[in-house]
Amino acid sequence: MRQSISKWVFGLALGAMLGAIPASAAEKLRVSIIPINDVTPLFSAIKQGYFAEEGLEIDTAPSAGGAVGIPGLVAGSYDIVYGNVVSMLLAAQQGIDIRVIAPGTKVDKVEDDASAMVVRSDSGIATGKDLEGKNVGVNTRNNVIWLYARAWIKASGGDPDKVTYREVPHPQLEDALRQKQIDAGFMVIPYVALATAKPEFKAIAHPYSTVQLGVDVGQYLTTSKFLTERPETAAKFLRALRRGIEWYNANRGTPPLLEIVSGFTKIDVELLKKVNMSASPLKVDPPQVETTMKLMLDNKLLKAPIDVKPLIYDKAL
Amino acid sequence: MTGAQTIPRMRSSETSGTALTAPLRLARRLRGFLLIAALLALWEASARFGWVNSSNWPPVSGVVVALFKGWASGELLTLTASTLRRMAIGYAAGCATGIALGALIGINRWARYALKPIVEVLRPIPAPAIVPMLILFLGVDDLLKVVVVALACFFPVFLNTLSGIAGVDAVLIETARTFRISRLRTLTRVILPAALPTIAAGMRVAIGIALVVTVISEMIAGSAGLGYYIVQMQYALRPEPMYAAIISLSATGYLLNRAFVALDKRWLPWIGR
């Protein structure tokens, strides 16, 4: 109520100057995305016309850092947001009305796990134990990358509390490593492929698959309000996205798919050819989400356990 | 005697100034450009010869090509226009509110008692810091960015309006009162015109802030504009268009400031005298 009053006040004050305020059409869905490879199945489904066949129009709103996804969902700016499992569980802990509507990314096979802990080749660092007293670069503290970096350090004999975590954006991790501002960096694709192609850097571990093979890293999120009020739309979205996921899995590495990725990430196609794209899951895997939840408890990201299953849209299971 | 001595000296310096005008002025102007050219050459060399080893450090020639391509294709024009549109609306709203509230508090003691504390409490908060909170109320679209820009522009304009009004010559106000001119007319015809140079200075400070805050808010919660484009290109590992956008941004800021100075000179020619 307070939110809607505030919106009206600000809207009346400034709306006139802004021109037309966009009105939401019946079957138009606004989806917040991060322009990274993870959301390729969504773009594949758009491109192949799967959403159109369901009578849905997807309006993708990219946000580079991904920081506005869940706040935007709460504010009603988006119907669905692409986010990671840690952000979802953190939001759930804070009492935010959040639900997983569809699967996003999963690290199912060791050979498909491209993201890696990267160090300078001459650093002599090989395990988490070696990182004690050193600096590890992560894109954001208290989030998914940070969590699995800590878990891997622990799993490889180190004390995660004796490591300093420094926030460095993904594209700058390589420079930070080279300039010795950090001693290791948890890199994701495509940056990890570029860095490890150079002899000065090497991957020492793949934290996701080492710590938790099968981890559901990313997911499409919505609110329970959306699932209750627009059940058919939710089902249509999931159905079309699943067809997009199947198309993506069947076409990984092919020129039409690389064109799609390049289209929304703006990354050069030649560069994308060097990237190993892992398969996307068709279902959300509650036991995996529970494992992540327990890791979060261990690392004091969560205060109390969360019942995971009710957070997941039953059709996505 | 002193005055008589001063005049010829001034004249002699003026004469020498005129004599040297063309080459000296050119040299003086070139000096500034030469430094920029030298820095750009250093940039080019550092990237070409690998002095700076980074995939995020392209040669400046590549950036220039991206700059030309971006403007020729209209992409950078669209992005700049989109940023400027958001900035202009926020700036106009912030300035209008700043002047209105500044004038109200400046002339009305009750308004001063009621509003000054809250303004002082809110003033130190940097506008971009409240973006995540504002998203909850305003969503993530243009309204959010406009309100953030307006908030950032409000304070310099408000404070300058306040101090401009406080500095108005009391004789002017009392003369107006003697002539029994209404309070509103005194405000619009006497107080505000007298405070205008100070208000204009606040507005000039605000225009620089407006551009920066627009770009920051686009970086945090944007899907369009130069701010979003810079971050997008950074993540797409395309540093040339990223720097091209940054250069376009810097040129936009420079031109905005020049435009403001030109307008100041035209409309407020007594400024600086």
Side-chain angles (χ1 to χ4, degrees), chain A residues 125 128-136 153 158-165 183:
Chain A
I125 296 168
K129 180 79 184 158
D130 299 335
L131 282 171
E132 284 183 359
K134 297 210 156 54
N135 293 303
V136 171
I153 288 166
D159 179 352
D161 289 330
K162 289 184 181 160
V163 176
T164 308
Y165 303 89
D183 301 289

Side-chain angles (χ1 to χ4, degrees), chain B residues 27 33 135 260:
Chain B
F33 286 108
I135 288 175
F260 208 95

Side-chain angles (χ1 to χ4, degrees), chain B residues 23-39:
Chain B
L24 195 69
R25 215 179 271 168
L26 192 70
R28 274 184 188 160
R29 289 216 162 170
L30 273 179
R31 209 163 43 187
F33 286 108
L34 279 175
L35 181 64
I36 296 175
L39 287 173

Side-chain angles (χ1 to χ4, degrees), chain A residues 7-38:
Chain A
K7 266 190 179 170
W8 267 105
V9 173
F10 281 115
L12 285 174
L14 292 159
M17 283 186 286
L18 280 170
I21 292 173
S24 62
E27 286 296 271
K28 197 170 179 174
L29 287 182
R30 194 146 189 236
V31 184
S32 161
I33 56 126
I34 312 164
I36 53 172
N37 178 53
D38 295 18

Side-chain angles (χ1 to χ4, degrees), chain B residues 107-187:
Chain B
I107 59 163
N108 187 306
R109 208 188 324 154
W110 292 109
R112 186 154 57 236
Y113 291 147
L115 295 170
K116 195 85 192 292
I118 188 165
V119 171
E120 287 302 323
V121 168
L122 292 176
R123 193 160 67 98
I125 301 174
I130 51 170
V131 168
M133 186 206 81
L134 284 176
I135 288 175
L136 295 176
F137 299 102
L138 305 169
V140 290
D141 295 315
D142 282 356
L143 186 60
L144 168 77
K145 283 142 223 165
V146 166
V147 170
V148 174
V149 174
L151 269 176
C153 293
F154 168 80
F155 291 105
V157 177
F158 167 78
L159 291 173
N160 271 40
T161 307
L162 211 56
S163 70
I165 288 176
V168 174
D169 191 348
V171 176
L172 288 176
I173 300 169
E174 269 159 30
T175 310
R177 204 172 285 165
T178 311
F179 282 100
R180 290 176 177 270
I181 293 169
S182 73
R183 288 186 76 170
L184 185 68
R185 215 171 139 80
T186 310
L187 177 70

Side-chain angles (χ1 to χ4, degrees), chain A residues 3 6-7 10 14 17-18 30 61-62 64 68 71-72 74-75 77-78 169 171-172 175 178 191 194 264-267, chain B residues 53-54 56 89 93 135-141 143 146-147 220-223 228 231-238:
Chain A
Q3 282 182 18
S6 313
K7 266 190 179 170
F10 281 115
L14 292 159
M17 283 186 286
L18 280 170
R30 194 146 189 236
V68 299
V74 174
S77 295
Y78 307 125
Q172 270 71 49
D175 285 343
R178 187 181 283 119
Y191 316 105
L194 291 176
F264 70 89
T265 61
K266 309 291 176 204
I267 296 172
Chain B
N53 186 5
S54 164
N56 292 305
I89 301 169
I135 288 175
L136 295 176
F137 299 102
L138 305 169
V140 290
D141 295 315
L143 186 60
V146 166
V147 170
I220 302 174
S223 288
Y228 173 69
V231 180
Q232 191 191 27
M233 289 300 123
Q234 179 197 356
Y235 276 79
L237 295 167
R238 291 175 62 194

Side-chain angles (χ1 to χ4, degrees), chain A residues 72-139:
Chain A
L73 183 73
V74 174
S77 295
Y78 307 125
D79 300 303
I80 294 164
V81 306
Y82 181 78
N84 69 68
V85 59
V86 172
S87 296
M88 185 275 287
L89 289 168
L90 282 174
Q93 175 187 246
Q94 286 164 18
I96 291 171
D97 172 22
I98 200 147
R99 293 291 181 271
V100 178
I101 185 174
T105 49
K106 187 178 189 65
V107 183
D108 224 0
K109 293 180 189 153
V110 176
E111 62 270 24
D112 272 358
D113 186 8
S115 56
M117 193 62 85
V118 178
V119 297
R120 288 182 298 276
S121 301
D122 59 2
S123 67
I125 296 168
T127 63
K129 180 79 184 158
D130 299 335
L131 282 171
E132 284 183 359
K134 297 210 156 54
N135 293 303
V136 171
V138 293
N139 69 329

